Amino acid sequence: MGQEDNKLLQNVYRKALFPNMAAILGGTINVFVDGILVGQKMGETGIAAVNQSLVVYLLLCTVGSLFAAGASAESSYAMGQRDEAAGKEYFSLAMELAIGCGTALCGLGLVLAPVLARLLGSASTTDLIEIYIRITLLGGLFKILLYIPYFYLRLEGKMKQSAYAMLTMTALNIALDYVFLFVLDLGIAGAAWASVLATVVACVMSFGFLFQKGGMFRFRPVRVDGGKLRRIITSGSPMAANNLFSAVRIVVLNSIMNLVGGSSMVALFAITNNLNEFSICVQNGVPQTGSALLGVCHGEADNTMVKKLLWLQLRTGLLLSAVFAAAAIVFHRQIGLLFGSHQEMGFVIGCWAVSLLPATCNNILSYYYYAIRRAGLSNLITVLRVCVVTAAMAWLLHGLGAGIWLFYPLAELASAAVWTAYALWSAKKQGTSLYFLEGFEGSSLRFTVECNAEQICSISAGVSDFCEEIGLTPQQSMTLSLALEELLIITAEKTMKNIGTMDVRVLQRENGALLRIRSEGAPYNPLEHASENLDFMGVQMIMNMATRTEYQSTLGLNTLIVEI
């Protein structure tokens, strides 16, 4: 038996990271590519129109993320609490809410499209904006619904499938952009149709992957429950706030940039804003990959693992952000030319690049508080950094001319200072730490074990010592030892095919202990076979002796729980 080991979940995180970043990139690169190709074809007026139209796109994202992120957060927490039925019900409720609210929003938007275009644009861009947002709204329901399989595929551990669907959307969008803009010469309407059609394809593919045989989540009509609805909205509010206040930020900053330097300054902001959307694969990709893991671990009251996952994300995020920022600084001139701009971009992109590191840290902490169901603190971070402090800093610096771009790093640092001060005050008031983790946290024993009978049998002595240390009764110790040996042997044979390792945790409870065995491999539930034949007699004995036994397949892992 080894020392405390958390490698399994960390490996799951690392394996999921780049597919998840690719999936996010598939979603955000549509905006990025539209900006590049429209800029090349239509110049700075075209790219300004796309950037101003982004407000409507973000409103669709707000609705989709509100229901999908909120429901998936509650589903992951329910899975951690071993309430699979509730986890599935949240999925169905999210589907109903997304379809109903999405249809109403898109219908209203189509009616108000001329008004929205006048509000968002200027004399040179109003007509272009109206065309773009009308087409966007015609396919808006698919954009909203796309969020549901995106979040739930992650919960099922199917990030590769999600990435495949999203990257297909990216490739299709680029191809259609080229055809519609440069071959058919459809103008900004071509760019809008390219995004809509690519999104429809990705949505159909993603639901196809989610509903594959063996999947956990299926739509079943459910009655709208007020309590569940409130929990979805509360848990989803940080994600929705990010999209909503991003829309507000674009409107406000476009106005400030226009005041400072007219259309050329608005075009520069459009380029950095597109670059920022592109970098979301790092800013949000790193914490989104861990949000389902954090939710399950928090539901299990595995506070030690929650903390380790948070620090793993911070290390990973800082490294990837530094690489991304360095690349942006080195290739700043080429980035400007990509968008059809010949303005000097060095200082502008340099300011944005420096801000990327604190921005990623702020995002990671926002997602962390979202995952542990501290939506208020998550919302505070989001609203500060996305809109309030950013807009205030840009306004304070607008008299500096080109110096206004310093708002990027200064806003992120000021936001971090404000929310950290509030969090420290709140933590002190509640008698906790900045982690804000609650519940009984007794001693625990963690280790990995090879998938062979010899090593499995050799661990009993160390587990017996731990049982004595935490004060279990002889009957509880015997049940735990039997469960450990029996379930590890079955898991090694049936799930792992006697190859690889399994992750084991024994956690002290107030009146007993909890055994958790996690493994990769094919889904297999030995508890279902307990009464089939004599080979599972030991499993049947465990089920009779334990307070509770349960199996879950989440995050692409098999998890067996035995509470004693």
Side-chain angles (χ1 to χ4, degrees), residues 158-441:
K158 296 179 179 178
M159 281 312 308
K160 288 184 179 178
Q161 289 93 323
S162 180
Y164 181 59
M166 300 301 280
L167 290 175
T168 298
M169 178 173 71
T170 299
L172 184 59
N173 184 63
I174 293 172
L176 291 175
D177 262 331
Y178 179 79
V179 172
F180 291 166
L181 281 167
F182 293 91
V183 178
L184 300 179
D185 199 22
L186 297 179
I188 200 167
W193 277 119
S195 293
V196 167
L197 294 175
T199 300
V200 171
V201 171
C203 189
V204 172
M205 288 179 64
S206 296
F207 274 108
F209 289 133
L210 187 65
F211 294 151
Q212 280 179 335
K213 184 179 179 181
M216 185 184 305
F217 298 101
R218 296 288 183 271
F219 175 72
R220 300 285 186 273
V222 295
R223 182 178 62 84
V224 176
D225 178 278
K228 284 186 170 63
L229 177 60
R230 283 192 296 274
R231 285 190 285 275
I232 286 176
I233 292 174
T234 300
S235 294
S237 60
M239 303 291 179
N242 184 68
N243 288 310
L244 178 62
F245 282 96
S246 291
V248 174
R249 172 168 111 159
I250 289 172
V251 173
V252 173
L253 291 182
N254 273 328
S255 299
I256 295 174
M257 295 302 167
N258 189 53
L259 180 66
V260 173
S263 59
S264 62
M265 205 70 166
V266 172
L268 284 178
F269 172 62
I271 293 171
T272 58
N273 194 57
N274 274 270
L275 192 60
N276 194 64
E277 286 295 310
F278 188 70
S279 75
I280 291 298
C281 64
V282 174
Q283 291 188 52
N284 289 359
V286 170
Q288 274 190 19
T289 304
S291 62
L293 291 169
L294 284 169
V296 172
C297 290
H298 181 238
E300 294 175 345
D302 192 347
N303 293 347
T304 300
M305 195 64 223
V306 168
K307 296 173 185 177
K308 288 182 179 293
L309 281 169
L310 171 60
W311 284 102
L312 174 63
Q313 289 178 92
L314 286 169
R315 292 194 300 271
T316 305
L318 285 171
L319 175 61
L320 293 177
S321 297
V323 172
F324 199 104
I329 291 171
V330 170
F331 296 107
H332 70 272
R333 185 172 180 275
Q334 289 81 356
I335 290 170
L337 293 175
L338 266 179
F339 287 91
S341 175
H342 295 277
Q343 298 187 67
E344 171 55 43
M345 298 290 296
F347 182 69
V348 179
I349 288 180
C351 288
W352 172 82
V354 170
S355 75
L356 186 55
L357 275 73
T360 299
C361 289
N362 281 332
N363 265 324
I364 288 171
L365 269 299
S366 178
Y367 273 86
Y368 167 77
Y369 291 122
Y370 149 77
I372 67 165
R373 307 173 96 207
R374 291 274 179 172
L377 190 48
S378 181
N379 279 323
L380 176 65
I381 298 172
T382 298
V383 172
L384 286 174
R385 65 166 296 273
V386 171
C387 186
V388 174
V389 174
T390 298
M393 193 65 68
W395 177 253
L396 287 173
L397 298 175
H398 81 278
L400 298 180
I404 191 176
W405 300 108
L406 290 169
F407 84 87
Y408 271 120
L410 293 178
E412 293 291 350
L413 293 171
S415 297
V418 173
W419 78 254
T420 301
Y422 172 80
L424 286 169
W425 172 81
S426 182
K428 183 178 179 181
K429 185 177 179 182
Q430 296 177 38
T432 183
S433 68
L434 279 175
Y435 292 110
F436 287 95
L437 297 173
E438 301 172 347
F440 177 79
E441 191 172 5

